[in-house]
Amino acid sequence: MKGSKGFLRIFLFVVLSGAGGFLLSLTGLSIGWMIGTLIMATVLSFTRPKFLSIPNNKAGIPKYWLYIGQCILGIELGQKMNTSVLFTFRDNWLAVTIMLLLSISFSLLAGYIFWKISNLDMLTSFFATAPGGMSAMPSIADEVGANTGIVSIIQTVRVFLVILTIPVLLSSWFSDGVNTELINVVANETIAFEPNQILMTIILVFVAIVGYHLGKLLRFPAPWLLGSMVSIAIFKSLSSLYLGHDLLAWWPHELIIFSQIFIGASIGSRFHKKMFVGLKKTLFVSSLCTIGFILSMFLCAYIVSAITGITFITSALAFAPGGVAEMTTTAVVLKGDPTFVVAVQVFRIIAVCVMLPPVFRLLNYWDVKKNKHSQISA
């Protein structure tokens, strides 16, 4: 009985958060569903009305809401994934690689500035500013002895700032043609619907679940998103090759709205007042570093777009230091190239997780050694 009441309260939290997304979507903002949901969920998490009984923990609402949102997005992307992203990488690999290296360099600079201005230790400062994902960075930080709580909070705030700035700016700049395209897409999907497509939808969901387990086994970041996307892409490619035509599934555009609501509500539910106690200076400095990081990535995205011919929307979302699911959701809504965004975002996370921790350890080793030497000399 308690379990059912708890689920209903969480469900009500998601619905109320989604109402915020609906209200913001009325303004014509293309990514309004996710941004509005995120803002409303954050407000509810801060105020914590008694009738909702929101869990008072860092994880927020149960993770299966986030996983459902990621899985929906993964199936959406898997159906659209094709060899064009590989050709784009082949044609522009040098520019993409240089920009990713610059991204890592900016991350190191932000971490260094954060360390010097804040009162945190070196490892915590560098891990807190590294754009490697909200789940990956705290877990790696814990292994090397950094302050996992601080890293988690600042990583969450970074993603929050990125989601509230980059999608909103891009949606405002390029909103004229997007809404019309979305209406046309929904209309076409509605007209093309056939009852036998329901079976294909069930098959795709099953394939996505299998892909998740494989992604988890292979240690993919965000396995519900990436595992389902890759498995769906492979399944669609093989089935089309064998049958000689594409298998169509019933996949209305409204599902992407649900995906935005679930992802936005999950992120917003992680915020609570206690996590910011005594961290005013730290959060202020980290926010400034994040804003500087965002501006530098916008500049890099513009350069890549000008050199390679990749649209600015796609380039900006691909290099944005935000979450994979959030940036790819924005790419779907704004009609960028979501598969390219996923590929670059995943490449960035892997590069950050593989390259930066050893660098952080080495820098920390030199700092500790330097301090010991100074103490001995004194």
Side-chain angles (χ1 to χ4, degrees):
M1 191 70 178
K2 289 183 178 180
S4 60
K5 286 185 178 179
F7 174 80
L8 290 175
R9 286 171 177 169
I10 297 298
F11 179 76
L12 180 59
F13 172 84
V14 175
V15 171
L16 291 176
S17 300
F22 171 72
L23 291 175
L24 193 57
S25 70
L26 296 178
T27 63
L29 191 66
S30 302
I31 196 65
W33 279 101
M34 187 168 71
I35 302 298
T37 300
L38 175 62
I39 294 173
M40 180 62 77
T42 303
V43 171
L44 291 174
S45 296
F46 266 69
T47 56
R48 295 191 174 273
K50 292 182 179 180
F51 69 92
L52 284 179
S53 299
I54 303 170
N56 191 16
N57 54 55
K58 296 178 181 178
I61 63 176
K63 287 189 175 181
Y64 58 76
W65 292 99
L66 176 64
Y67 296 156
I68 293 172
Q70 290 183 345
C71 186
I72 293 173
L73 182 59
I75 296 173
E76 168 79 11
L77 297 177
Q79 294 183 85
K80 294 181 177 180
M81 199 170 187
N82 51 48
T83 56
S84 63
V85 66
L86 300 177
F87 291 129
T88 304
F89 257 126
R90 184 196 64 184
D91 297 337
N92 307 293
W93 66 270
L94 182 59
V96 171
T97 302
I98 291 174
M99 290 302 103
L100 286 174
L101 290 176
L102 281 175
S103 174
I104 293 174
S105 300
F106 288 140
S107 169
L108 288 171
L109 178 62
Y112 179 80
I113 295 173
F114 188 41
W115 171 48
K116 288 298 183 180
I117 297 178
S118 69
N119 57 356
L120 300 175
D121 61 273
M122 178 187 281
L123 278 178
T124 300
S125 299
F126 276 110
F127 274 103
T129 56
M134 288 190 298
S135 57
M137 284 297 100
S139 59
I140 298 175
D142 184 57
E143 294 176 3
V144 298
N147 189 325
T148 309
I150 297 294
V151 172
S152 300
I153 292 171
I154 295 176
Q155 286 283 342
T156 304
V157 171
R158 173 180 60 81
V159 173
F160 185 86
L161 286 174
V162 170
I163 295 172
L164 282 182
T165 53
I166 293 180
V168 171
L169 290 175
L170 292 177
S171 182
S172 300
W173 293 341
F174 302 98
S175 60
D176 292 340
V178 172
N179 290 331
T180 304
E181 289 184 20
L182 288 179
I183 293 171
N184 291 336
V185 169
V186 174
N188 290 337
E189 287 178 350
T190 304
I191 294 171
F193 170 74
E194 294 179 7
N196 58 6
Q197 294 175 1
I198 296 292
L199 176 61
M200 185 60 190
T201 302
I202 296 172
I203 294 174
L204 289 184
V205 172
F206 175 77
V207 172
I209 294 173
V210 173
Y212 155 72
H213 288 289
L214 291 175
K216 189 176 181 181
L217 183 65
L218 297 173
R219 297 180 179 271
F220 282 4
W224 272 111
L225 171 63
L226 300 181
S228 60
M229 181 191 73
V230 173
S231 62
I232 293 294
I234 293 174
F235 173 77
K236 288 274 289 184
S237 299
L238 293 178
S239 61
S240 298
L241 184 65
Y242 179 75
L243 297 174
H245 61 86
D246 289 333
L247 293 173
L248 299 177
W250 178 72
W251 200 254
H253 180 74
E254 285 76 11
L255 288 175
I256 294 300
I257 294 176
F258 285 116
S259 175
Q260 293 181 63
I261 292 174
F262 296 158
I263 293 173
S266 298
I267 295 174
S269 68
R270 297 174 185 173
F271 288 88
H272 54 86
K273 292 181 180 178
K274 292 183 179 178
M275 69 189 295
F276 298 105
V277 175
L279 293 176
K280 289 183 179 180
K281 181 182 177 181
T282 300
L283 291 174
F284 178 74
V285 174
S286 66
S287 298
L288 289 180
C289 291
T290 299
I291 293 171
F293 200 3
I294 291 172
L295 293 176
S296 65
M297 286 298 97
F298 260 122
L299 177 61
C300 291
Y302 176 78
I303 295 173
V304 169
S305 178
I307 294 174
T308 63
I310 298 171
T311 63
F312 180 70
I313 287 179
T314 298
S315 182
L317 292 173
F319 295 109
V324 180
E326 294 78 25
M327 294 303 102
T328 49
T329 301
T330 306
V332 170
V333 174
L334 297 183
K335 293 303 169 184
D337 187 345
T339 54
F340 182 76
V341 172
V342 169
V344 176
Q345 286 282 348
V346 172
F347 190 24
R348 173 179 59 81
I349 291 174
I350 292 173
V352 167
C353 292
V354 171
M355 295 174 62
L356 288 188
V359 174
F360 294 163
R361 291 190 189 97
L362 184 61
L363 291 174
N364 187 64
Y365 172 76
W366 285 343
D367 184 57
V368 171
K369 190 175 180 179
K370 180 182 178 182
N371 291 334
K372 286 184 178 179
H373 181 71
S374 300
Q375 291 174 0
I376 293 173
S377 300

